[in-house]
Amino acid sequence: VFCAAALENLEQTNVSGFGSLKSQQDFRTPEFEEFNGKPDSLYFNDGQRRIDFVLVYEDESRKETNKKGSNEKQRRKRQAYESNLICDGLQLEATRSLVDDKLVFVKVHAPWEVLCTYAEIMHIKLPLKPNDLKTRSSAFDNFNWFTKLLQVDESIIKPEQEFFTAPFEKNRMNDFYIQDRDTFFNPATRSRIVYFILSRIMYQVRDNVKKFGINKLVNSGIYKAAFPLHDCNFSTPSEDLSCPNERYLLYREWAHPRSIYKKQPLDLIRKYYGEKIGIYFAWLGYYTQMLLLAAIVGVACFLYGYFTEDNCTWSKEVCDPNIGGQIIMCPQCDDECPFWSLNVTCESSKKLCIFDSFGTLVFAVFMGVWVTLFLEFWKRRQAELEYEWDTVELQQEEQARPEYEARCTHVVINEITQEEERVPFTTWGKCIRVTLCASAVFFWILLIIASVIGIIVYRLSVFVIFSVNLRKISNGTDPIQKYVTPQMATSITASLISFIIIMILNTIYEKVAIMITNFELPRTQTDYENSLTMKMFLFQFVNYYSSCFYIAFFKGKFVGYPGDPVYWLGKYRNEECDPGGCLLELTTQLIIIMGGKAIWNNIQEVLLPWVMNVFGRCRTVSGAEKITPRWEQDYHLQPMGKLGLFYEYLEMIIQFGFVTLFVASFPLAPLLALVNNILEIRVDAWKLTTQYRRMVPEKAQDIGAWQPIMQGIAILAVVTNAMIIAFTSDMIPRLVYYWSFSIPPYGDHLDYSMEGYINISLSIFNTADFKSGVKENPYAGSKYDTCRYRDFRYPPGHPQEYKHNIYYWHVIAAKLAFIIVMEHIIYSVKFFISYTIPDVSKSTKSKIKREKYLTQKLLHENHLKDMTKNIGVIAEKMIGAVVDNNLRPKSD
């Protein structure tokens, strides 16, 4: 009766939304209780009812502010919300803060009946009976002495008992494995159910629009926070003997640096934080394990290039004073740039020999196969986790988001059921929203492209300055000229500026992408995250990789020749690569972006939350130390954020792109990623267990939209690496020269060697053919008659002077042939591997079918027992009635 009256009062609204609610007595509010002095307690003051969730707010009556009207509205909304929570069956208890008396902590408890009701609504799978299926013995049992070093000690973290499960139904409660009502729903499931209720309870009706959900109340400042509790302190176990101390165990065996070599306790992570966080760490751990193989091969290819550097003939020719010192290169800009000797690029050519070697080609092919193996074996591992964690049929059980339900005002006919249902907008309205969202995404991508163009203009402009000033500073003898060339200085500064712009645009677009996705209004949380994932990755792809694509595939490709250069925007002369190509510059770009991104992320993820937590504790705790309860300790930790692990996934997928898309230019990328990920796992674990509030446990069947994104990257990586070897590196022209020693136009070398390659790879230009004046070389007294430039063109005086020669077309044909052959070989191997390795292993399929069969059999047998029992009771009654009727006197 009270709940009906409260809701009726709530719906009779005026402008404020509360209408006829005259006083606080119209609401049912929680009673204030004093803290019982037990800091580790997870229960109400009676010691019986478990705290499933905590709401925090500031008492308006104790605020020092003049906004009385606003405070009163907030108080009435909160009272209406808490009253409706009580009406829905939840139990509340309020306690004031021991540190700040303005703060009030509302503890929420869900009784047994409420848990059972919503477990059925949410289709939560719960235990039927212990799983007695025997697991197959491993073929590596003889190596237990070694694997035990990497495993978590089972005496510390005991393995979870496995059960047959089924969606909970109240009318079949006797079928479920209920030994203790207090432990039948574990803390993670209890918090999930309570959060489901908190997200759907109404607090105001305004203009016939219902407002509900704890998220809106927190965003509007009515509540300061809402979170489930950690079960104990991370550094010491709880004094409460009934506490499982799971947070302490996770910190000790997972997050602590001394456990860095151990495998992750995935079952305990899943039990404490939910399947969504568990699947992330399972994926990250598996990705890191697979990177070990890629890192070993990458280091081997790098060492091959390093130890064969002395055999690099063309680099020796560049460094030789009698060859490279005598070759005068043409100025690389108009008027300001001087002539320069080829041997100033000696150091960069030596470094280039390490990366631009035959080992790079082998590694690129290997990585094309490796990424397929990783994705296919991960699918199998993911299927095993789906079985072990009971998420096989999760997609069918997912509920609509409360934000979606709140906007369902249009009535349509369901095509399948032919019944009326409510949707947030019509088909035409959905088309308009999709068009607007796509336009917004396209606009921001154009903005990123504009920033890339700005970086290119910077590179073109500043190259002239470095070309003139570096030679003035070095004066021809200083070591600066030996190690810092104009190209290198331009590349490093442009990469740093590009990284800063990437970080700025990244911060802005995160908020824009969330706004666009909220406007799009996806139905379920999975749909919401997948939509946001695609938008964010599309932006990040252009943001992070555009500069690398420019260096790899555009820089130095459309420059013309000294007498007729190509200009960018009609003003800026296009950049040229070093005589050895742009591969070393691409490597530099990758190192700066990957390294800078890793450092920046660690500052954001580790240092920032730690500093904020320390600052918060110093600000709130004053005077002598006080015994603060668990809910107050957790309140002063940092919130995880609305998107949870979204940014963690995004960080790793961007890294995955660097490791696969451009690995032909930097074989050490997998090694850097491996080291980063080993630290990343423990840093994320430390962050979750020590610096952040406990997240609301969520279900997840897989890694969502990140899986098809990785598959797309894997397909694109084959093309990019083939094109990097063909067009960015100088490998194909060198191979053509090496294998064509007997063809006269390709030089006078008499056997399979690279001698004379530098001479044939640099064309000759007559300085008299410059269209505009070029300054004299400051180190000589007269102008040069000829200079050299990087291209394959006919010399001056030839009937087709400055036109591409026959060697150029042979090289182009070889490059195209290489790309086609390499792509077809790798794609064939990829598709063969994908076909031969099933996504779900045979044993996992058998287990799923076996469990489904036994579950159905169990439920069916229990149902038959109940029916037999009922039939027996009815039969006994009927037989008794017949006997009584026969025994009655005939007169009756």
Side-chain angles (χ1 to χ4, degrees), residues 785-822:
D785 295 330
T786 61
C787 60
R788 310 294 289 271
Y789 61 98
R790 186 176 184 265
D791 208 341
F792 301 106
R793 294 177 182 269
Y794 288 112
H798 192 276
Q800 300 182 24
E801 65 175 2
Y802 304 135
K803 300 290 184 181
H804 285 119
N805 57 25
I806 189 64
Y807 184 62
Y808 170 83
W809 298 110
H810 286 177
V811 169
I812 290 294
K815 289 180 176 181
L816 295 177
F818 170 80
I819 292 175
I820 293 172
V821 172
M822 180 177 174

Coordinates of all heavy atoms in Angstrom, one line a residue, residues 785-822:
D785 N 79.6 20.9 -62.1 CA 79.0 20.8 -63.4 C 77.8 19.8 -63.3 O 76.8 19.9 -64.0 CB 80.0 20.3 -64.4 CG 81.1 21.4 -64.7 OD1 80.8 22.6 -64.5 OD2 82.2 21.0 -65.0
T786 N 78.0 18.7 -62.5 CA 77.0 17.7 -62.4 C 76.8 17.3 -60.9 O 77.7 17.5 -60.1 CB 77.3 16.4 -63.2 OG1 78.5 15.8 -62.7 CG2 77.5 16.7 -64.7
C787 N 75.6 16.8 -60.7 CA 75.3 16.2 -59.3 C 74.5 15.0 -59.5 O 74.0 14.7 -60.6 CB 74.7 17.3 -58.4 SG 73.1 17.9 -59.1
R788 N 74.3 14.2 -58.4 CA 73.6 13.0 -58.5 C 72.3 13.1 -57.6 O 72.2 13.8 -56.7 CB 74.5 11.8 -57.9 CG 75.9 11.8 -58.5 CD 75.8 11.4 -60.0 NE 75.5 10.1 -60.3 CZ 76.3 9.0 -60.3 NH1 77.6 9.2 -60.2 NH2 75.9 7.8 -60.6
Y789 N 71.3 12.3 -58.0 CA 70.1 12.2 -57.3 C 69.5 10.8 -57.3 O 69.9 10.0 -58.2 CB 69.1 13.2 -57.8 CG 68.7 13.0 -59.3 CD1 67.5 12.3 -59.6 CD2 69.5 13.5 -60.3 CE1 67.1 12.1 -60.9 CE2 69.1 13.3 -61.6 CZ 68.0 12.6 -61.9 OH 67.6 12.4 -63.2
R790 N 68.7 10.5 -56.4 CA 68.2 9.1 -56.2 C 67.0 8.8 -57.2 O 65.9 9.2 -57.0 CB 67.7 8.9 -54.8 CG 67.3 7.4 -54.5 CD 67.0 7.3 -53.0 NE 66.7 5.9 -52.6 CZ 65.4 5.4 -52.6 NH1 64.4 6.1 -52.9 NH2 65.2 4.1 -52.3
D791 N 67.3 8.1 -58.3 CA 66.3 7.7 -59.2 C 67.0 6.9 -60.3 O 68.2 6.8 -60.4 CB 65.6 8.9 -59.8 CG 64.2 8.6 -60.2 OD1 63.9 7.4 -60.4 OD2 63.4 9.6 -60.4
F792 N 66.2 6.3 -61.2 CA 66.7 5.6 -62.3 C 66.3 6.3 -63.6 O 65.2 6.0 -64.2 CB 66.2 4.1 -62.3 CG 66.6 3.4 -61.1 CD1 65.6 3.1 -60.1 CD2 67.9 3.0 -60.9 CE1 66.0 2.4 -59.0 CE2 68.3 2.3 -59.7 CZ 67.3 2.0 -58.8
R793 N 67.1 7.3 -64.1 CA 66.8 8.1 -65.2 C 68.0 8.2 -66.2 O 69.1 8.0 -65.8 CB 66.3 9.5 -64.8 CG 65.0 9.6 -64.0 CD 64.7 11.0 -63.6 NE 63.4 11.0 -62.8 CZ 62.2 11.2 -63.3 NH1 62.1 11.4 -64.6 NH2 61.2 11.3 -62.5
Y794 N 67.7 8.5 -67.4 CA 68.8 8.7 -68.4 C 69.5 9.9 -68.1 O 69.0 10.9 -67.6 CB 68.2 8.7 -69.8 CG 67.6 7.4 -70.3 CD1 66.3 7.2 -70.5 CD2 68.5 6.4 -70.6 CE1 65.8 6.0 -71.0 CE2 68.0 5.1 -71.1 CZ 66.6 5.0 -71.3 OH 66.1 3.8 -71.7
P795 N 70.9 9.9 -68.4 CA 71.7 11.1 -68.1 C 71.5 12.2 -69.1 O 70.9 12.0 -70.1 CB 73.1 10.5 -68.2 CG 73.0 9.4 -69.2 CD 71.6 8.8 -69.0
P796 N 72.0 13.4 -68.8 CA 71.9 14.5 -69.7 C 72.7 14.2 -71.0 O 73.7 13.5 -71.0 CB 72.5 15.7 -69.0 CG 73.4 15.1 -67.9 CD 72.7 13.8 -67.5
G797 N 72.1 14.6 -72.1 CA 72.7 14.4 -73.4 C 72.1 13.1 -74.1 O 72.3 12.9 -75.3
H798 N 71.4 12.3 -73.3 CA 70.8 11.1 -73.9 C 69.6 11.6 -74.7 O 68.9 12.6 -74.4 CB 70.4 10.2 -72.8 CG 70.0 8.8 -73.3 ND1 68.7 8.5 -73.7 CD2 70.7 7.6 -73.4 CE1 68.6 7.3 -74.1 NE2 69.8 6.7 -73.9
P799 N 69.2 10.9 -75.8 CA 68.0 11.3 -76.5 C 66.7 11.4 -75.7 O 65.8 12.2 -76.0 CB 67.8 10.2 -77.6 CG 69.2 9.6 -77.8 CD 69.9 9.8 -76.4
Q800 N 66.6 10.6 -74.6 CA 65.5 10.7 -73.7 C 66.0 11.1 -72.3 O 65.7 10.5 -71.3 CB 64.8 9.3 -73.6 CG 64.3 8.8 -74.9 CD 63.6 7.5 -74.7 OE1 63.1 7.1 -73.7 NE2 63.5 6.7 -75.8
E801 N 66.8 12.2 -72.3 CA 67.4 12.6 -71.0 C 66.3 12.9 -70.0 O 65.2 13.5 -70.2 CB 68.2 13.9 -71.2 CG 67.5 15.1 -71.7 CD 68.4 16.3 -71.7 OE1 69.6 16.2 -71.5 OE2 67.9 17.4 -72.0
Y802 N 66.6 12.5 -68.8 CA 65.8 12.6 -67.6 C 64.5 11.9 -67.6 O 63.6 12.1 -66.8 CB 65.5 14.1 -67.3 CG 66.8 15.0 -67.1 CD1 66.9 16.2 -67.8 CD2 67.9 14.5 -66.4 CE1 68.1 17.0 -67.7 CE2 69.0 15.3 -66.3 CZ 69.1 16.5 -66.9 OH 70.3 17.2 -66.8
K803 N 64.4 11.0 -68.6 CA 63.2 10.1 -68.6 C 63.7 8.8 -67.9 O 64.8 8.4 -67.8 CB 62.8 9.7 -70.0 CG 62.4 10.9 -70.9 CD 61.1 11.5 -70.4 CE 60.6 12.6 -71.3 NZ 59.4 13.2 -70.9
H804 N 62.7 8.0 -67.3 CA 63.0 6.8 -66.6 C 63.6 5.8 -67.6 O 63.1 5.6 -68.7 CB 61.7 6.2 -66.0 CG 61.2 6.9 -64.8 ND1 60.0 7.5 -64.7 CD2 61.8 7.1 -63.6 CE1 59.9 8.1 -63.5 NE2 61.0 7.9 -62.8
N805 N 64.7 5.2 -67.2 CA 65.4 4.2 -68.0 C 64.8 2.8 -67.9 O 63.9 2.6 -67.1 CB 66.9 4.2 -67.7 CG 67.2 3.9 -66.2 OD1 66.4 3.2 -65.6 ND2 68.3 4.3 -65.7
I806 N 65.4 1.9 -68.6 CA 64.8 0.5 -68.7 C 65.0 -0.2 -67.3 O 64.2 -1.0 -67.0 CB 65.5 -0.3 -69.8 CG1 64.8 -1.6 -70.0 CG2 67.0 -0.5 -69.5 CD1 63.4 -1.5 -70.5
Y807 N 66.0 0.2 -66.6 CA 66.2 -0.5 -65.3 C 65.1 -0.1 -64.4 O 64.6 -0.9 -63.6 CB 67.6 0.0 -64.7 CG 67.9 -0.6 -63.4 CD1 68.1 -2.0 -63.3 CD2 68.1 0.1 -62.3 CE1 68.5 -2.6 -62.1 CE2 68.4 -0.4 -61.0 CZ 68.6 -1.8 -61.0 OH 69.0 -2.4 -59.8
Y808 N 64.6 1.1 -64.4 CA 63.5 1.6 -63.6 C 62.2 0.7 -63.8 O 61.6 0.2 -62.9 CB 63.1 3.0 -63.9 CG 61.8 3.5 -63.3 CD1 61.8 4.0 -62.0 CD2 60.7 3.5 -64.0 CE1 60.6 4.4 -61.4 CE2 59.5 4.0 -63.5 CZ 59.4 4.4 -62.2 OH 58.3 4.9 -61.6
W809 N 61.9 0.4 -65.1 CA 60.8 -0.4 -65.4 C 60.9 -1.8 -65.0 O 60.0 -2.5 -64.6 CB 60.4 -0.3 -66.9 CG 60.1 1.2 -67.3 CD1 60.8 2.0 -68.1 CD2 58.9 1.9 -66.9 NE1 60.2 3.2 -68.2 CE2 59.0 3.2 -67.4 CE3 57.8 1.6 -66.1 CZ2 58.1 4.2 -67.2 CZ3 56.9 2.6 -65.9 CH2 57.0 3.8 -66.4
H810 N 62.2 -2.3 -65.1 CA 62.4 -3.7 -64.7 C 62.2 -3.8 -63.1 O 61.7 -4.8 -62.6 CB 63.9 -4.1 -65.0 CG 64.0 -4.4 -66.5 ND1 65.2 -4.8 -67.1 CD2 63.1 -4.5 -67.5 CE1 65.1 -5.0 -68.4 NE2 63.8 -4.8 -68.6
V811 N 62.7 -2.7 -62.4 CA 62.5 -2.7 -61.0 C 61.1 -2.7 -60.6 O 60.6 -3.4 -59.7 CB 63.3 -1.6 -60.4 CG1 62.9 -1.4 -58.9 CG2 64.8 -1.8 -60.5
I812 N 60.3 -1.8 -61.3 CA 58.9 -1.7 -61.0 C 58.2 -3.1 -61.3 O 57.3 -3.5 -60.5 CB 58.2 -0.6 -61.9 CG1 58.7 0.8 -61.5 CG2 56.7 -0.7 -61.9 CD1 58.2 1.2 -60.1
A813 N 58.5 -3.7 -62.3 CA 57.9 -5.0 -62.6 C 58.3 -6.0 -61.5 O 57.5 -6.8 -61.1 CB 58.4 -5.5 -64.0
A814 N 59.5 -6.0 -61.1 CA 60.0 -6.9 -60.0 C 59.2 -6.6 -58.7 O 58.9 -7.5 -58.0 CB 61.5 -6.8 -59.8
K815 N 59.0 -5.3 -58.4 CA 58.3 -5.0 -57.2 C 56.9 -5.5 -57.2 O 56.4 -6.0 -56.3 CB 58.3 -3.4 -57.0 CG 59.7 -2.9 -56.6 CD 59.6 -1.4 -56.4 CE 61.0 -0.8 -56.0 NZ 60.9 0.7 -55.7
L816 N 56.2 -5.2 -58.3 CA 54.8 -5.7 -58.5 C 54.7 -7.2 -58.4 O 53.8 -7.8 -57.8 CB 54.2 -5.2 -59.8 CG 54.0 -3.7 -59.9 CD1 53.5 -3.3 -61.2 CD2 53.1 -3.1 -58.8
A817 N 55.7 -7.9 -59.1 CA 55.7 -9.3 -59.0 C 55.9 -9.8 -57.6 O 55.3 -10.8 -57.1 CB 56.8 -9.9 -60.0
F818 N 56.8 -9.2 -56.9 CA 57.1 -9.6 -55.5 C 55.9 -9.4 -54.6 O 55.5 -10.3 -53.8 CB 58.2 -8.7 -54.9 CG 58.4 -8.9 -53.5 CD1 59.1 -10.0 -53.0 CD2 57.9 -8.0 -52.6 CE1 59.3 -10.1 -51.6 CE2 58.1 -8.1 -51.2 CZ 58.8 -9.2 -50.7
I819 N 55.1 -8.3 -54.8 CA 53.9 -8.1 -53.9 C 52.9 -9.2 -54.2 O 52.3 -9.7 -53.3 CB 53.4 -6.7 -54.2 CG1 54.3 -5.6 -53.7 CG2 52.0 -6.5 -53.6 CD1 53.9 -4.2 -54.0
I820 N 52.7 -9.5 -55.5 CA 51.7 -10.4 -55.9 C 52.0 -11.8 -55.3 O 51.2 -12.5 -54.7 CB 51.5 -10.5 -57.4 CG1 50.9 -9.2 -57.9 CG2 50.6 -11.7 -57.8 CD1 50.8 -9.0 -59.4
V821 N 53.3 -12.2 -55.5 CA 53.7 -13.5 -55.1 C 53.7 -13.6 -53.6 O 53.2 -14.6 -53.0 CB 55.2 -13.8 -55.6 CG1 55.7 -15.1 -55.0 CG2 55.2 -14.0 -57.1
M822 N 54.2 -12.6 -52.9 CA 54.2 -12.7 -51.4 C 52.8 -12.7 -50.8 O 52.5 -13.5 -49.9 CB 55.0 -11.5 -50.9 CG 55.1 -11.4 -49.3 SD 56.1 -10.1 -48.7 CE 55.8 -10.2 -46.9

